[in-house]
Amino acid sequence: MRFGLLLSPIILLLQLSHNGAIFPGNIANQYYLNKQRFLLEILHHLHEPLRHAECLALGQQIVSDKTQYVHYTEPMREYYRLLSSGRLLAKEVFYNAHQAEHFSETLGLFHFFYNTREWSTLSQNICWARVHANPALFLHALMQTMLKRDDYRALIMPKIYELLPAPYHSETVVRAAGNFNYINWIRQELMMGNRSHIQMVQPKQLLPANLTGDLRNTSKWSEAMSEVQILSIEERRQPQAKLSHLIDDYGWSSYWYYINMGVALQDNPSEAEGIRDWCYWQLSQIVARYKLERYGQQMEYKRLSWQEQANSQLLTWQGQRYQPETRATRQHLSALLHKLELSVEQAIATQTLSLSNGTLIDLRKGQNWLLGLEQLFPYDLSRLQIPSASQPQQLLELHTMLRQPSFYAYADRLLHAYRSYRAEFQSRYSQPVRPTDMSIEAVLVDPLITFEEPVDVDLSNILHARNFYYEKRFMWPHSLQARRHRLQQRPFAITFQLSSNRTQSIILRSYLTTARGTVNEEPFYQLDAFLTILYQGNNTIRRESGEFPGLIGDHISFTELYYYMSLAEQEQFDFPLNITQPSCGFPRRLILPRGGAGEPLAMRLLVIATPYNYKARQGNELFCDFSNGVSSWNELPQGYPFERFVEEAELQGSHVYWKAVEVEHRDYGMA
């Protein structure tokens, strides 16, 4: 693993730069750039047969020599048996990891990637799989490898909505991009003067204009992009869809994709409890944020029920139309949830639980309740096998799951059972939860302003591959960008005024919720959690929204990444290894619900202070690395105190502060 030895110090630098700042000295060399070029070119036009001559030659055979692998596992043996007997999943078949046969095959190919000793073996296996394997299965296995292998994590995978754009865009845009013929367009647009729905961007630019590190629309950017034409197609939102600015947002859907890919296939049992805690907290955050959007749109949000959905307007990468969910899927999921709810009710009634091995445990004794939590509430979604998953359904695809309203109804039932179980059996916290000798005196919040801004999203992978090869040599002459509008907010700050009778360290957590209502019926969405020191006397602490943890901004596109890499190969650009944003961060621009246009949206901010016990730990979940667990400030559960149902009295006292706030929506340019 010589490449791994080279990249090990690079990984450490990346872990220290979560906020995406560009650090001098953290620069790629030619050895790295060669690997990066290989990866970007192999991932181009995944939905079409590979045309890359070198990879075609390299990919004639998978490496079968067992000595070239650190481990040769049973999934690899089974995969090789399928390969030898010609029974691998056909390339044209719709792939879904929730189908048992597909998951088994994915696991085998993943091991053929993950367990390689040398880059040469991995690159040959990648080329072979790109030529012979189902494209979606190949991408799933490769994505898992790049997320799981420490020594390859420095290599940059383009964002999933750039690799497989179809599920993240409207059918109209996907079909227009798929039917685009560059030669005919040039003839009609430039020679005949006919205007089409696809336009060349002049002067050359991409939106948003400002990215961290001055990576866009600068002189160096112009130099990098000098050989590529930028084309644009407008993507309009359905005006009747009240929630489309949230659930149709590519950042919203891709966040769910990445965190589930990150936690899948973990093999560290000692971290399972913390990861489960984190996963259910993230799910509750997604549901809370969705409910706040419904609240802002004056829709029912407290009780989410399943409703019949209209036909989907989304396409798979193969051009098939998704359906929301089949009757068989609905019945299967409803049965699973009903069984879980009965199990939780029975556990609460009897205070016991029968484990899968037949052992009956007393949930009141010791940490037995954690054994019950483990059995009742798994967190690895890749282990969920659905008999009807062979049909394209929005609800069963990580790409589209959050665009399906019934997802939130199912998730709400799951979370209700989870909180009920924890409220009944969770033992007392192992640390104090109320700091002493301090008080939150006041909280001041800058104006909360939302607006919609234009943004360009790279669609180049939908275009025909024939326009990107000349005499079997890969070229990138033009880039197609979807111009769409998305929710954004003005940066803001929260100022805390606190008093303390002594010097002490505390954790301050801030939650956004509705203007009124019973605590256990309202959604609480965490904006921030941070460590601070209080000194004796009065303390004023200002916290900028750009400092909130776990959030990311915008990143460069697939096209820009390729051309910056090409410029670096010519030694005309110092290629920073953190040139793109971490994949498992939540979009910072989506933390506020869309404000009121006429009358501001009334909400509340809840601030809770807890003691700091010097047991914080730093994980690397922002980069989808869960091998060493997740970050935490202390030993309290993630999302304290909303990991369970709470008593009203817990949210009262000098360590708690409620603040009425308003969110206003303005037109773009007026914000």
Side-chain angles (χ1 to χ4, degrees), residues 32 36 39-40 42-43 138-139 142-144 146-147 152-160 162-163 257-258 555 558 561 580-581 583:
Y32 169 94
Q36 187 64 66
L39 194 61
L40 296 184
I42 205 77
L43 290 170
F138 159 72
L139 178 60
L142 181 60
M143 184 72 76
Q144 283 290 352
M146 293 301 161
L147 292 178
Y152 295 139
R153 196 173 285 120
L155 291 172
I156 300 169
M157 292 277 284
K159 300 304 180 186
I160 187 60
E162 298 174 323
L163 293 174
Y257 169 87
Y258 279 115
H555 64 92
F558 192 174
L561 178 61
T580 188
Q581 293 284 317
S583 292

PDB file of all heavy atoms in Angstrom, residues 32 36 39-40 42-43 138-139 142-144 146-147 152-160 162-163 257-258 555 558 561 580-581 583:
ATOM      1  N   TYR A  32      -0.041  11.971  -6.919  1.00  0.00           N
ATOM      2  CA  TYR A  32      -1.459  12.086  -6.544  1.00  0.00           C
ATOM      3  C   TYR A  32      -2.312  12.449  -7.761  1.00  0.00           C
ATOM      4  O   TYR A  32      -3.388  11.877  -7.983  1.00  0.00           O
ATOM      5  CB  TYR A  32      -1.617  13.146  -5.450  1.00  0.00           C
ATOM      6  CG  TYR A  32      -3.048  13.547  -5.166  1.00  0.00           C
ATOM      7  CD1 TYR A  32      -3.762  12.931  -4.152  1.00  0.00           C
ATOM      8  CD2 TYR A  32      -3.681  14.549  -5.907  1.00  0.00           C
ATOM      9  CE1 TYR A  32      -5.074  13.296  -3.886  1.00  0.00           C
ATOM     10  CE2 TYR A  32      -4.991  14.914  -5.648  1.00  0.00           C
ATOM     11  CZ  TYR A  32      -5.668  14.289  -4.641  1.00  0.00           C
ATOM     12  OH  TYR A  32      -6.974  14.655  -4.390  1.00  0.00           O
ATOM     13  N   GLN A  36      -5.742  10.924  -9.381  1.00  0.00           N
ATOM     14  CA  GLN A  36      -6.954  11.722  -9.455  1.00  0.00           C
ATOM     15  C   GLN A  36      -7.501  11.771 -10.880  1.00  0.00           C
ATOM     16  O   GLN A  36      -8.708  11.669 -11.095  1.00  0.00           O
ATOM     17  CB  GLN A  36      -6.684  13.141  -8.949  1.00  0.00           C
ATOM     18  CG  GLN A  36      -7.926  14.006  -8.822  1.00  0.00           C
ATOM     19  CD  GLN A  36      -8.899  13.481  -7.794  1.00  0.00           C
ATOM     20  OE1 GLN A  36      -8.626  13.462  -6.609  1.00  0.00           O
ATOM     21  NE2 GLN A  36     -10.065  13.029  -8.245  1.00  0.00           N
ATOM     22  N   LEU A  39      -9.273   8.543 -11.695  1.00  0.00           N
ATOM     23  CA  LEU A  39     -10.571   8.427 -11.043  1.00  0.00           C
ATOM     24  C   LEU A  39     -11.621   9.282 -11.747  1.00  0.00           C
ATOM     25  O   LEU A  39     -12.750   8.828 -11.992  1.00  0.00           O
ATOM     26  CB  LEU A  39     -10.445   8.842  -9.580  1.00  0.00           C
ATOM     27  CG  LEU A  39     -11.607   8.486  -8.653  1.00  0.00           C
ATOM     28  CD1 LEU A  39     -11.803   6.983  -8.602  1.00  0.00           C
ATOM     29  CD2 LEU A  39     -11.348   9.028  -7.249  1.00  0.00           C
ATOM     30  N   LEU A  40     -11.280  10.521 -12.097  1.00  0.00           N
ATOM     31  CA  LEU A  40     -12.253  11.405 -12.733  1.00  0.00           C
ATOM     32  C   LEU A  40     -12.645  10.908 -14.120  1.00  0.00           C
ATOM     33  O   LEU A  40     -13.810  10.992 -14.511  1.00  0.00           O
ATOM     34  CB  LEU A  40     -11.695  12.829 -12.817  1.00  0.00           C
ATOM     35  CG  LEU A  40     -11.430  13.538 -11.486  1.00  0.00           C
ATOM     36  CD1 LEU A  40     -10.977  14.976 -11.733  1.00  0.00           C
ATOM     37  CD2 LEU A  40     -12.656  13.515 -10.588  1.00  0.00           C
ATOM     38  N   ILE A  42     -12.515   7.764 -15.247  1.00  0.00           N
ATOM     39  CA  ILE A  42     -13.250   6.496 -15.178  1.00  0.00           C
ATOM     40  C   ILE A  42     -14.698   6.732 -14.763  1.00  0.00           C
ATOM     41  O   ILE A  42     -15.600   5.947 -15.082  1.00  0.00           O
ATOM     42  CB  ILE A  42     -12.558   5.514 -14.208  1.00  0.00           C
ATOM     43  CG1 ILE A  42     -12.895   4.055 -14.577  1.00  0.00           C
ATOM     44  CG2 ILE A  42     -12.947   5.769 -12.769  1.00  0.00           C
ATOM     45  CD1 ILE A  42     -12.145   3.548 -15.758  1.00  0.00           C
ATOM     46  N   LEU A  43     -14.953   7.840 -14.044  1.00  0.00           N
ATOM     47  CA  LEU A  43     -16.299   8.135 -13.561  1.00  0.00           C
ATOM     48  C   LEU A  43     -17.106   8.982 -14.538  1.00  0.00           C
ATOM     49  O   LEU A  43     -18.280   9.248 -14.295  1.00  0.00           O
ATOM     50  CB  LEU A  43     -16.216   8.859 -12.211  1.00  0.00           C
ATOM     51  CG  LEU A  43     -15.730   8.012 -11.027  1.00  0.00           C
ATOM     52  CD1 LEU A  43     -15.452   8.888  -9.817  1.00  0.00           C
ATOM     53  CD2 LEU A  43     -16.747   6.937 -10.690  1.00  0.00           C
ATOM     54  N   PHE A 138     -21.409  -0.762  -9.651  1.00  0.00           N
ATOM     55  CA  PHE A 138     -19.993  -0.376  -9.669  1.00  0.00           C
ATOM     56  C   PHE A 138     -19.764   0.906  -8.873  1.00  0.00           C
ATOM     57  O   PHE A 138     -18.846   0.981  -8.049  1.00  0.00           O
ATOM     58  CB  PHE A 138     -19.545  -0.184 -11.120  1.00  0.00           C
ATOM     59  CG  PHE A 138     -18.318   0.673 -11.279  1.00  0.00           C
ATOM     60  CD1 PHE A 138     -17.067   0.208 -10.911  1.00  0.00           C
ATOM     61  CD2 PHE A 138     -18.418   1.958 -11.803  1.00  0.00           C
ATOM     62  CE1 PHE A 138     -15.936   1.006 -11.056  1.00  0.00           C
ATOM     63  CE2 PHE A 138     -17.303   2.760 -11.950  1.00  0.00           C
ATOM     64  CZ  PHE A 138     -16.058   2.283 -11.580  1.00  0.00           C
ATOM     65  N   LEU A 139     -20.601   1.919  -9.096  1.00  0.00           N
ATOM     66  CA  LEU A 139     -20.434   3.186  -8.391  1.00  0.00           C
ATOM     67  C   LEU A 139     -20.639   3.009  -6.887  1.00  0.00           C
ATOM     68  O   LEU A 139     -19.903   3.584  -6.078  1.00  0.00           O
ATOM     69  CB  LEU A 139     -21.407   4.228  -8.937  1.00  0.00           C
ATOM     70  CG  LEU A 139     -21.367   5.596  -8.244  1.00  0.00           C
ATOM     71  CD1 LEU A 139     -19.986   6.221  -8.361  1.00  0.00           C
ATOM     72  CD2 LEU A 139     -22.424   6.521  -8.824  1.00  0.00           C
ATOM     73  N   LEU A 142     -17.526   1.347  -5.474  1.00  0.00           N
ATOM     74  CA  LEU A 142     -16.383   2.245  -5.514  1.00  0.00           C
ATOM     75  C   LEU A 142     -16.536   3.373  -4.491  1.00  0.00           C
ATOM     76  O   LEU A 142     -15.563   3.746  -3.812  1.00  0.00           O
ATOM     77  CB  LEU A 142     -16.221   2.828  -6.916  1.00  0.00           C
ATOM     78  CG  LEU A 142     -15.038   3.780  -7.119  1.00  0.00           C
ATOM     79  CD1 LEU A 142     -13.717   3.080  -6.817  1.00  0.00           C
ATOM     80  CD2 LEU A 142     -15.034   4.343  -8.539  1.00  0.00           C
ATOM     81  N   MET A 143     -17.739   3.917  -4.357  1.00  0.00           N
ATOM     82  CA  MET A 143     -17.972   4.978  -3.383  1.00  0.00           C
ATOM     83  C   MET A 143     -17.687   4.464  -1.972  1.00  0.00           C
ATOM     84  O   MET A 143     -17.051   5.159  -1.171  1.00  0.00           O
ATOM     85  CB  MET A 143     -19.409   5.476  -3.495  1.00  0.00           C
ATOM     86  CG  MET A 143     -19.751   6.657  -2.598  1.00  0.00           C
ATOM     87  SD  MET A 143     -18.993   8.206  -3.134  1.00  0.00           S
ATOM     88  CE  MET A 143     -20.047   8.617  -4.537  1.00  0.00           C
ATOM     89  N   GLN A 144     -18.144   3.257  -1.677  1.00  0.00           N
ATOM     90  CA  GLN A 144     -17.875   2.676  -0.361  1.00  0.00           C
ATOM     91  C   GLN A 144     -16.368   2.538  -0.127  1.00  0.00           C
ATOM     92  O   GLN A 144     -15.867   2.805   0.970  1.00  0.00           O
ATOM     93  CB  GLN A 144     -18.548   1.312  -0.230  1.00  0.00           C
ATOM     94  CG  GLN A 144     -20.038   1.364   0.029  1.00  0.00           C
ATOM     95  CD  GLN A 144     -20.354   1.877   1.422  1.00  0.00           C
ATOM     96  OE1 GLN A 144     -19.485   2.068   2.258  1.00  0.00           O
ATOM     97  NE2 GLN A 144     -21.617   2.124   1.672  1.00  0.00           N
ATOM     98  N   MET A 146     -13.876   4.322  -1.444  1.00  0.00           N
ATOM     99  CA  MET A 146     -13.220   5.611  -1.250  1.00  0.00           C
ATOM    100  C   MET A 146     -13.613   6.255   0.079  1.00  0.00           C
ATOM    101  O   MET A 146     -12.851   7.055   0.628  1.00  0.00           O
ATOM    102  CB  MET A 146     -13.569   6.547  -2.413  1.00  0.00           C
ATOM    103  CG  MET A 146     -12.991   6.098  -3.732  1.00  0.00           C
ATOM    104  SD  MET A 146     -11.182   5.970  -3.658  1.00  0.00           S
ATOM    105  CE  MET A 146     -10.841   4.914  -5.052  1.00  0.00           C
ATOM    106  N   LEU A 147     -14.780   5.905   0.601  1.00  0.00           N
ATOM    107  CA  LEU A 147     -15.177   6.420   1.910  1.00  0.00           C
ATOM    108  C   LEU A 147     -14.554   5.626   3.053  1.00  0.00           C
ATOM    109  O   LEU A 147     -14.371   6.158   4.148  1.00  0.00           O
ATOM    110  CB  LEU A 147     -16.700   6.373   2.048  1.00  0.00           C
ATOM    111  CG  LEU A 147     -17.513   7.316   1.157  1.00  0.00           C
ATOM    112  CD1 LEU A 147     -19.005   7.101   1.388  1.00  0.00           C
ATOM    113  CD2 LEU A 147     -17.142   8.770   1.386  1.00  0.00           C
ATOM    114  N   TYR A 152      -6.970   6.033   0.674  1.00  0.00           N
ATOM    115  CA  TYR A 152      -7.477   6.573  -0.589  1.00  0.00           C
ATOM    116  C   TYR A 152      -8.461   7.718  -0.379  1.00  0.00           C
ATOM    117  O   TYR A 152      -8.993   8.275  -1.341  1.00  0.00           O
ATOM    118  CB  TYR A 152      -8.161   5.472  -1.409  1.00  0.00           C
ATOM    119  CG  TYR A 152      -7.220   4.379  -1.863  1.00  0.00           C
ATOM    120  CD1 TYR A 152      -7.606   3.048  -1.831  1.00  0.00           C
ATOM    121  CD2 TYR A 152      -5.939   4.694  -2.310  1.00  0.00           C
ATOM    122  CE1 TYR A 152      -6.735   2.049  -2.238  1.00  0.00           C
ATOM    123  CE2 TYR A 152      -5.064   3.704  -2.715  1.00  0.00           C
ATOM    124  CZ  TYR A 152      -5.460   2.380  -2.682  1.00  0.00           C
ATOM    125  OH  TYR A 152      -4.597   1.401  -3.083  1.00  0.00           O
ATOM    126  N   ARG A 153      -8.720   8.073   0.878  1.00  0.00           N
ATOM    127  CA  ARG A 153      -9.743   9.087   1.133  1.00  0.00           C
ATOM    128  C   ARG A 153      -9.340  10.465   0.626  1.00  0.00           C
ATOM    129  O   ARG A 153     -10.182  11.325   0.415  1.00  0.00           O
ATOM    130  CB  ARG A 153     -10.084   9.119   2.630  1.00  0.00           C
ATOM    131  CG  ARG A 153     -11.382   9.835   2.940  1.00  0.00           C
ATOM    132  CD  ARG A 153     -11.784   9.705   4.397  1.00  0.00           C
ATOM    133  NE  ARG A 153     -12.313   8.380   4.667  1.00  0.00           N
ATOM    134  CZ  ARG A 153     -11.789   7.535   5.539  1.00  0.00           C
ATOM    135  NH1 ARG A 153     -10.722   7.880   6.229  1.00  0.00           N
ATOM    136  NH2 ARG A 153     -12.317   6.352   5.743  1.00  0.00           N
ATOM    137  N   ALA A 154      -8.054  10.703   0.419  1.00  0.00           N
ATOM    138  CA  ALA A 154      -7.619  11.994  -0.099  1.00  0.00           C
ATOM    139  C   ALA A 154      -8.007  12.188  -1.554  1.00  0.00           C
ATOM    140  O   ALA A 154      -8.101  13.323  -2.035  1.00  0.00           O
ATOM    141  CB  ALA A 154      -6.106  12.151   0.062  1.00  0.00           C
ATOM    142  N   LEU A 155      -8.223  11.094  -2.279  1.00  0.00           N
ATOM    143  CA  LEU A 155      -8.691  11.221  -3.657  1.00  0.00           C
ATOM    144  C   LEU A 155     -10.123  11.746  -3.657  1.00  0.00           C
ATOM    145  O   LEU A 155     -10.936  11.363  -2.825  1.00  0.00           O
ATOM    146  CB  LEU A 155      -8.618   9.870  -4.368  1.00  0.00           C
ATOM    147  CG  LEU A 155      -7.199   9.350  -4.640  1.00  0.00           C
ATOM    148  CD1 LEU A 155      -7.259   7.927  -5.154  1.00  0.00           C
ATOM    149  CD2 LEU A 155      -6.476  10.257  -5.623  1.00  0.00           C
ATOM    150  N   ILE A 156     -10.424  12.609  -4.604  1.00  0.00           N
ATOM    151  CA  ILE A 156     -11.704  13.313  -4.608  1.00  0.00           C
ATOM    152  C   ILE A 156     -12.684  12.628  -5.551  1.00  0.00           C
ATOM    153  O   ILE A 156     -12.407  12.476  -6.743  1.00  0.00           O
ATOM    154  CB  ILE A 156     -11.518  14.784  -5.022  1.00  0.00           C
ATOM    155  CG1 ILE A 156     -10.575  15.489  -4.044  1.00  0.00           C
ATOM    156  CG2 ILE A 156     -12.858  15.512  -5.075  1.00  0.00           C
ATOM    157  CD1 ILE A 156     -10.130  16.863  -4.502  1.00  0.00           C
ATOM    158  N   MET A 157     -13.816  12.230  -5.000  1.00  0.00           N
ATOM    159  CA  MET A 157     -14.929  11.745  -5.812  1.00  0.00           C
ATOM    160  C   MET A 157     -15.849  12.933  -6.094  1.00  0.00           C
ATOM    161  O   MET A 157     -16.247  13.647  -5.169  1.00  0.00           O
ATOM    162  CB  MET A 157     -15.721  10.666  -5.065  1.00  0.00           C
ATOM    163  CG  MET A 157     -14.973   9.373  -4.841  1.00  0.00           C
ATOM    164  SD  MET A 157     -15.024   8.279  -6.276  1.00  0.00           S
ATOM    165  CE  MET A 157     -16.692   7.619  -6.160  1.00  0.00           C
ATOM    166  N   PRO A 158     -16.205  13.175  -7.354  1.00  0.00           N
ATOM    167  CA  PRO A 158     -17.208  14.216  -7.620  1.00  0.00           C
ATOM    168  C   PRO A 158     -18.491  13.913  -6.855  1.00  0.00           C
ATOM    169  O   PRO A 158     -18.758  12.774  -6.466  1.00  0.00           O
ATOM    170  CB  PRO A 158     -17.420  14.116  -9.137  1.00  0.00           C
ATOM    171  CG  PRO A 158     -16.155  13.498  -9.651  1.00  0.00           C
ATOM    172  CD  PRO A 158     -15.702  12.552  -8.588  1.00  0.00           C
ATOM    173  N   LYS A 159     -19.296  14.932  -6.634  1.00  0.00           N
ATOM    174  CA  LYS A 159     -20.513  14.752  -5.854  1.00  0.00           C
ATOM    175  C   LYS A 159     -21.472  13.814  -6.580  1.00  0.00           C
ATOM    176  O   LYS A 159     -21.523  13.766  -7.805  1.00  0.00           O
ATOM    177  CB  LYS A 159     -21.186  16.098  -5.582  1.00  0.00           C
ATOM    178  CG  LYS A 159     -20.311  17.067  -4.808  1.00  0.00           C
ATOM    179  CD  LYS A 159     -19.818  16.481  -3.489  1.00  0.00           C
ATOM    180  CE  LYS A 159     -18.952  17.463  -2.717  1.00  0.00           C
ATOM    181  NZ  LYS A 159     -18.355  16.866  -1.511  1.00  0.00           N
ATOM    182  N   ILE A 160     -22.265  13.099  -5.805  1.00  0.00           N
ATOM    183  CA  ILE A 160     -23.132  12.070  -6.371  1.00  0.00           C
ATOM    184  C   ILE A 160     -24.133  12.639  -7.365  1.00  0.00           C
ATOM    185  O   ILE A 160     -24.470  11.996  -8.362  1.00  0.00           O
ATOM    186  CB  ILE A 160     -23.856  11.286  -5.240  1.00  0.00           C
ATOM    187  CG1 ILE A 160     -24.628  10.111  -5.796  1.00  0.00           C
ATOM    188  CG2 ILE A 160     -24.752  12.204  -4.419  1.00  0.00           C
ATOM    189  CD1 ILE A 160     -23.784   9.085  -6.526  1.00  0.00           C
ATOM    190  N   GLU A 162     -23.583  14.903  -9.422  1.00  0.00           N
ATOM    191  CA  GLU A 162     -22.875  15.158 -10.674  1.00  0.00           C
ATOM    192  C   GLU A 162     -22.528  13.853 -11.377  1.00  0.00           C
ATOM    193  O   GLU A 162     -22.479  13.800 -12.608  1.00  0.00           O
ATOM    194  CB  GLU A 162     -21.604  15.956 -10.401  1.00  0.00           C
ATOM    195  CG  GLU A 162     -21.848  17.327  -9.792  1.00  0.00           C
ATOM    196  CD  GLU A 162     -20.575  18.039  -9.409  1.00  0.00           C
ATOM    197  OE1 GLU A 162     -19.627  17.361  -8.938  1.00  0.00           O
ATOM    198  OE2 GLU A 162     -20.514  19.264  -9.577  1.00  0.00           O
ATOM    199  N   LEU A 163     -22.287  12.798 -10.607  1.00  0.00           N
ATOM    200  CA  LEU A 163     -21.973  11.497 -11.196  1.00  0.00           C
ATOM    201  C   LEU A 163     -23.216  10.854 -11.795  1.00  0.00           C
ATOM    202  O   LEU A 163     -23.177  10.314 -12.908  1.00  0.00           O
ATOM    203  CB  LEU A 163     -21.370  10.582 -10.126  1.00  0.00           C
ATOM    204  CG  LEU A 163     -20.001  11.002  -9.595  1.00  0.00           C
ATOM    205  CD1 LEU A 163     -19.586  10.107  -8.436  1.00  0.00           C
ATOM    206  CD2 LEU A 163     -18.961  10.956 -10.702  1.00  0.00           C
ATOM    207  N   TYR A 257     -27.930  10.599   1.239  1.00  0.00           N
ATOM    208  CA  TYR A 257     -27.170   9.569   0.526  1.00  0.00           C
ATOM    209  C   TYR A 257     -25.817   9.346   1.197  1.00  0.00           C
ATOM    210  O   TYR A 257     -25.426   8.205   1.506  1.00  0.00           O
ATOM    211  CB  TYR A 257     -26.984   9.978  -0.935  1.00  0.00           C
ATOM    212  CG  TYR A 257     -25.997   9.124  -1.698  1.00  0.00           C
ATOM    213  CD1 TYR A 257     -26.395   7.949  -2.318  1.00  0.00           C
ATOM    214  CD2 TYR A 257     -24.651   9.494  -1.794  1.00  0.00           C
ATOM    215  CE1 TYR A 257     -25.484   7.153  -3.011  1.00  0.00           C
ATOM    216  CE2 TYR A 257     -23.739   8.714  -2.477  1.00  0.00           C
ATOM    217  CZ  TYR A 257     -24.157   7.546  -3.083  1.00  0.00           C
ATOM    218  OH  TYR A 257     -23.250   6.763  -3.761  1.00  0.00           O
ATOM    219  N   TYR A 258     -25.105  10.419   1.453  1.00  0.00           N
ATOM    220  CA  TYR A 258     -23.737  10.287   1.951  1.00  0.00           C
ATOM    221  C   TYR A 258     -23.666   9.756   3.383  1.00  0.00           C
ATOM    222  O   TYR A 258     -22.809   8.914   3.692  1.00  0.00           O
ATOM    223  CB  TYR A 258     -23.002  11.622   1.848  1.00  0.00           C
ATOM    224  CG  TYR A 258     -22.464  11.897   0.465  1.00  0.00           C
ATOM    225  CD1 TYR A 258     -22.949  12.948  -0.298  1.00  0.00           C
ATOM    226  CD2 TYR A 258     -21.457  11.103  -0.079  1.00  0.00           C
ATOM    227  CE1 TYR A 258     -22.457  13.204  -1.570  1.00  0.00           C
ATOM    228  CE2 TYR A 258     -20.960  11.341  -1.350  1.00  0.00           C
ATOM    229  CZ  TYR A 258     -21.460  12.401  -2.093  1.00  0.00           C
ATOM    230  OH  TYR A 258     -20.968  12.636  -3.347  1.00  0.00           O
ATOM    231  N   HIS A 555     -19.163  23.998  -3.322  1.00  0.00           N
ATOM    232  CA  HIS A 555     -17.921  23.408  -3.803  1.00  0.00           C
ATOM    233  C   HIS A 555     -17.818  23.587  -5.307  1.00  0.00           C
ATOM    234  O   HIS A 555     -18.804  23.909  -5.979  1.00  0.00           O
ATOM    235  CB  HIS A 555     -17.879  21.915  -3.469  1.00  0.00           C
ATOM    236  CG  HIS A 555     -18.959  21.141  -4.170  1.00  0.00           C
ATOM    237  ND1 HIS A 555     -18.758  20.550  -5.400  1.00  0.00           N
ATOM    238  CD2 HIS A 555     -20.248  20.899  -3.855  1.00  0.00           C
ATOM    239  CE1 HIS A 555     -19.889  19.979  -5.787  1.00  0.00           C
ATOM    240  NE2 HIS A 555     -20.802  20.168  -4.870  1.00  0.00           N
ATOM    241  N   PHE A 558     -17.804  19.336 -11.037  1.00  0.00           N
ATOM    242  CA  PHE A 558     -17.043  18.241 -11.666  1.00  0.00           C
ATOM    243  C   PHE A 558     -16.136  18.813 -12.757  1.00  0.00           C
ATOM    244  O   PHE A 558     -14.941  18.493 -12.830  1.00  0.00           O
ATOM    245  CB  PHE A 558     -18.044  17.237 -12.243  1.00  0.00           C
ATOM    246  CG  PHE A 558     -17.458  15.910 -12.664  1.00  0.00           C
ATOM    247  CD1 PHE A 558     -18.301  14.884 -13.082  1.00  0.00           C
ATOM    248  CD2 PHE A 558     -16.090  15.666 -12.644  1.00  0.00           C
ATOM    249  CE1 PHE A 558     -17.788  13.645 -13.477  1.00  0.00           C
ATOM    250  CE2 PHE A 558     -15.567  14.442 -13.036  1.00  0.00           C
ATOM    251  CZ  PHE A 558     -16.421  13.432 -13.455  1.00  0.00           C
ATOM    252  N   LEU A 561     -13.274  20.872 -11.251  1.00  0.00           N
ATOM    253  CA  LEU A 561     -12.325  19.977 -10.592  1.00  0.00           C
ATOM    254  C   LEU A 561     -11.381  19.365 -11.619  1.00  0.00           C
ATOM    255  O   LEU A 561     -10.156  19.313 -11.410  1.00  0.00           O
ATOM    256  CB  LEU A 561     -13.095  18.884  -9.843  1.00  0.00           C
ATOM    257  CG  LEU A 561     -12.274  17.814  -9.131  1.00  0.00           C
ATOM    258  CD1 LEU A 561     -11.390  18.423  -8.053  1.00  0.00           C
ATOM    259  CD2 LEU A 561     -13.196  16.743  -8.533  1.00  0.00           C
ATOM    260  N   THR A 580     -12.348  20.625  -2.423  1.00  0.00           N
ATOM    261  CA  THR A 580     -13.795  20.452  -2.411  1.00  0.00           C
ATOM    262  C   THR A 580     -14.288  20.323  -0.972  1.00  0.00           C
ATOM    263  O   THR A 580     -13.501  20.134  -0.048  1.00  0.00           O
ATOM    264  CB  THR A 580     -14.211  19.223  -3.232  1.00  0.00           C
ATOM    265  OG1 THR A 580     -15.638  19.187  -3.369  1.00  0.00           O
ATOM    266  CG2 THR A 580     -13.743  17.936  -2.573  1.00  0.00           C
ATOM    267  N   GLN A 581     -15.595  20.416  -0.783  1.00  0.00           N
ATOM    268  CA  GLN A 581     -16.192  20.378   0.553  1.00  0.00           C
ATOM    269  C   GLN A 581     -16.425  18.937   1.001  1.00  0.00           C
ATOM    270  O   GLN A 581     -16.662  18.047   0.182  1.00  0.00           O
ATOM    271  CB  GLN A 581     -17.531  21.126   0.542  1.00  0.00           C
ATOM    272  CG  GLN A 581     -17.398  22.621   0.299  1.00  0.00           C
ATOM    273  CD  GLN A 581     -16.901  23.357   1.517  1.00  0.00           C
ATOM    274  OE1 GLN A 581     -17.336  23.102   2.634  1.00  0.00           O
ATOM    275  NE2 GLN A 581     -15.977  24.284   1.320  1.00  0.00           N
ATOM    276  N   SER A 583     -18.246  15.614   2.170  1.00  0.00           N
ATOM    277  CA  SER A 583     -19.516  15.118   1.625  1.00  0.00           C
ATOM    278  C   SER A 583     -20.598  14.917   2.678  1.00  0.00           C
ATOM    279  O   SER A 583     -21.780  14.971   2.364  1.00  0.00           O
ATOM    280  CB  SER A 583     -19.284  13.794   0.882  1.00  0.00           C
ATOM    281  OG  SER A 583     -18.521  14.019  -0.283  1.00  0.00           O
TER     282      SER A 583
END
